[in-house]
Amino acid sequence: MKRRFAAGLVATWLSAISTVMAIEWREGDRVVLVGNTFVERAQSYGHVETSLAAGLAGRSITFRNLGWSGDTVYGDARSYFGPPQEGFDRLSKHLEEIKPTIIVSVYGAVAAFDGPAGLDSFLKGYARLLDMMVEKTGARVVLMSPPPLENLPSPLPNQDAQNRNLAAYRDGIQKLASQRGHDFADLFEAMGAGRLANRKPALTENGVHYTEPGYAVIAPLIAELIGVDSSPMRVEANSATVRLTPRSLAGHSVLLKVSGLSPGDYTLNSTDGQTILTASDRVWQEGTTIHQRLWSREYDQLRQAVIDKNQVFFHRWRPQNETYLFGFRKHEQGNNAVEVPQFDPIVAAADAKIQALAEPQPVTLTLTKRSN
């Protein structure tokens, strides 16, 4: 795909992952992310949804995070005082209310601690969960494997054996997706499949739970895996000043080539006058990759809007004192339950703000020849 910009600029978008699923993203899609701790923590950092919102700008697509720490395909963590079925039914109710058109499901991290002996039970429970999801919503479903674990210094345990368990569960999830006709996204492989368990700097706080910088690394990979382009951009120009409109704020880098320069050193400046790089005319003509995010301010604004929306939605679907509002003690304060739906217009306004901020903004790059 090519787009033409001012100053003779042609931008070609490159795919960073060779196998990208053919999800048909549609105007007005409602996306729900479900899973356990990995999914729930994503809402607090915002990177995953920011990458998706930026890559899907202009289509009025909304996102809802229904992750629940420690949850399983049986709904164990979602139940309050009853058996796992209570939590399973709670998820069913939330999905029925939200009416998603796409569900991204990330389970297996908790179950994998049961090792190979627990795989069959996990897949049986997952099939039951998927039956419910499809029956309640009719949504397109993406099964995503959980990411690998890391080895951190003692006294934290070595995770090599657990990564082998995760690999087995990943294979089982992939087979289940194929049997049922669902898309499969291999985040485990995209994150190194355990081969990078000793990476530095670490992306997790304890080998298991990813940090904010960890989610920043994972987010564009998730976007690519589910067919949202957040890949780098190649730019070729015949002018020392170029103006481009990035299709995604989440783009990693720009490969910039500029021809027609007279001999000498040139400094590249961004829209706000920030110095990015100084190099010779030959370097610019051969091309150099700019790894710095040129639109970081816009990205940060979008991410903060995502985090704010997620916080409001969290209070909407997991209100404090839910037992008093909807449970067995609702006879005491159940009259206050009418206030919970009042979060809906606030969430809708937050969605509109996100969609406005996700719209691509022009970026002007200027090469200035340095005087001797």
Side-chain angles (χ1 to χ4, degrees):
M1 187 183 91
K2 294 184 178 180
R3 292 185 177 185
R4 295 191 178 276
F5 303 94
L9 175 68
V10 176
T12 303
W13 294 86
L14 310 174
S15 176
I17 297 178
S18 57
T19 55
V20 176
M21 64 181 60
I23 286 185
E24 180 186 354
W25 293 94
R26 303 165 186 166
E27 174 72 22
D29 267 332
R30 295 180 300 280
V31 184
V32 164
L33 294 93
V34 298
N36 39 53
T37 310
F38 175 73
V39 175
E40 179 172 350
R41 286 169 68 100
Q43 69 185 311
S44 299
Y45 298 127
H47 287 294
V48 172
E49 185 178 333
T50 299
S51 289
L52 297 175
L56 296 167
R59 307 191 203 184
S60 299
I61 294 177
T62 55
F63 299 87
R64 298 290 182 263
N65 188 311
L66 294 185
W68 199 301
S69 293
D71 198 35
T72 71
V73 294
Y74 291 100
D76 292 89
R78 295 176 193 266
S79 60
Y80 288 161
F81 302 104
Q85 184 62 41
E86 176 190 309
F88 189 93
D89 293 341
R90 177 172 285 105
L91 176 58
S92 174
K93 177 176 179 292
H94 289 144
L95 289 173
E96 193 170 17
E97 290 175 349
I98 296 173
K99 297 179 174 59
T101 59
I102 294 177
I103 297 174
V104 179
S105 179
V106 193
Y107 281 99
V110 175
F113 283 100
D114 292 333
L119 180 58
D120 287 344
S121 175
F122 165 73
L123 293 176
K124 179 180 178 180
Y126 212 165
R128 172 173 172 261
L129 175 63
L130 293 170
D131 285 340
M132 179 272 285
M133 289 179 176
V134 174
E135 178 184 353
K136 291 293 183 179
T137 69
R140 294 159 279 164
V141 178
V142 179
L143 303 188
M144 181 175 293
S145 59
L149 309 183
E150 292 187 313
N151 292 327
L152 298 185
S154 178
L156 293 171
N158 182 285
Q159 301 289 1
D160 290 346
Q162 187 57 21
N163 276 327
R164 288 193 290 272
N165 287 338
L166 282 170
Y169 277 69
R170 181 272 312 272
D171 294 343
I173 295 169
Q174 184 174 20
K175 183 176 180 181
L176 180 66
S178 177
Q179 290 172 341
R180 298 179 60 93
H182 299 311
D183 284 310
F184 172 73
D186 196 350
L187 182 59
F188 183 74
E189 178 63 34
M191 288 296 294
R195 296 185 296 271
L196 305 177
N198 300 292
R199 89 176 83 215
K200 295 180 181 180
L203 300 180
T204 64
E205 61 186 41
N206 53 11
V208 178
H209 300 128
Y210 280 79
T211 60
E212 184 271 326
Y215 279 95
V217 171
I218 286 175
L221 296 178
I222 289 179
E224 290 281 356
L225 284 169
I226 61 176
V228 179
D229 194 349
S230 62
S231 55
M233 185 169 56
R234 175 175 293 163
V235 176
E236 296 186 17
N238 56 14
S239 170
T241 300
V242 297
R243 184 175 173 84
L244 58 141
T245 303
R247 197 176 80 180
S248 169
L249 291 170
H252 293 158
S253 58
V254 175
L255 176 60
L256 180 61
K257 293 184 179 182
V258 182
S259 59
L261 300 175
S262 59
D265 292 335
Y266 290 79
T267 298
L268 182 69
N269 294 304
S270 61
T271 307
D272 56 5
Q274 181 182 6
T275 297
I276 299 169
L277 179 66
T278 298
S280 67
D281 62 291
R282 188 170 72 173
V283 170
W284 290 116
Q285 291 183 45
E286 292 176 351
T288 184
T289 300
I290 311 300
H291 294 286
Q292 180 175 348
R293 189 186 290 122
L294 301 177
W295 36 91
S296 58
R297 179 171 54 189
E298 289 82 0
Y299 178 91
D300 291 340
Q301 289 175 345
L302 175 58
R303 186 167 77 94
Q304 188 58 56
V306 166
I307 293 171
D308 293 343
K309 183 269 297 181
N310 285 339
Q311 185 177 50
V312 174
F313 177 68
F314 186 88
H315 293 312
R316 166 63 174 95
W317 81 283
R318 288 173 68 172
Q320 294 188 29
N321 296 327
E322 185 172 353
T323 300
Y324 288 88
L325 297 175
F326 304 110
F328 66 88
R329 301 190 69 170
K330 64 182 180 181
H331 62 281
E332 300 179 43
Q333 297 185 28
N335 59 306
N336 293 324
V338 296
E339 297 180 5
V340 175
Q342 294 174 13
F343 280 100
D344 290 340
I346 303 175
V347 175
D351 283 331
K353 181 178 180 180
I354 290 169
Q355 290 161 15
L357 289 172
E359 287 293 330
Q361 301 297 317
V363 175
T364 299
L365 309 178
T366 302
L367 272 176
T368 303
K369 189 175 183 180
R370 295 183 65 181
S371 57
N372 294 329

